[in-house]
Every structure is written in C-alpha cells, then in structure tokens.
Amino acid sequence: MTPAGDVGSCHAKPSYDGVFFYAVKTTGIYCRPSCRSKLPKRENICFFQTAQEARAAGSRPCKGWTVKS
C-alpha cells in the first residue's frame, strides 16, 4: 500500500496518486498522497485503496482537489 506503511515517506508526491488514499480520523477528510496539507499524526490516519472506499467509510474529499469517480 504505502512504502513501509508510512504516509510521511510519500506525502506531497504525485507519483503515489492512485496507489492509495488516506483519511484523517479527526477531521473526516480523505486525501491523495500528493496533497500538500499538513501531515497528520500516524495514529489518526486510515488507508484506503480507492476514493470510493474512503467515501463509504464516511470521509469526504479534501477541498484542495476533486476526485474523478
């Protein structure tokens, strides 16, 4: 999924877009790896393979980008 399960190693890197999405438990927002938002604490992150999975889990997309369904 992510390199060694660490979003920090692929944060703000567009080359990981489409590989996974991550949601922040405390905000209910999900992002692509290329998102330039503040990196959340690891214990507050959930990983998903698709944006649809993240939405199904109750998260909404980050306002910094739009997801093409």
Side-chain angles (χ1 to χ4, degrees):
M1 189 171 303
T2 65
D6 180 20
V7 74
S9 65
C10 47
H11 183 60
K13 294 182 181 174
S15 61
Y16 286 99
D17 282 356
V19 176
F20 71 94
F21 292 83
Y22 68 94
V24 183
K25 296 175 189 175
T26 56
T27 63
I29 296 172
Y30 70 91
C31 296
R32 299 177 298 177
S34 64
C35 185
R36 297 214 178 258
S37 64
K38 180 181 172 188
L39 186 61
K41 292 181 180 180
R42 176 64 177 101
E43 62 266 18
N44 292 331
I45 299 173
C46 293
F47 293 97
F48 300 96
Q49 290 183 327
T50 66
Q52 292 78 14
E53 288 178 3
R55 281 195 299 268
S59 297
R60 66 172 182 82
C62 175
K63 290 183 179 180
W65 58 278
T66 56
V67 176
K68 296 176 183 169
S69 298

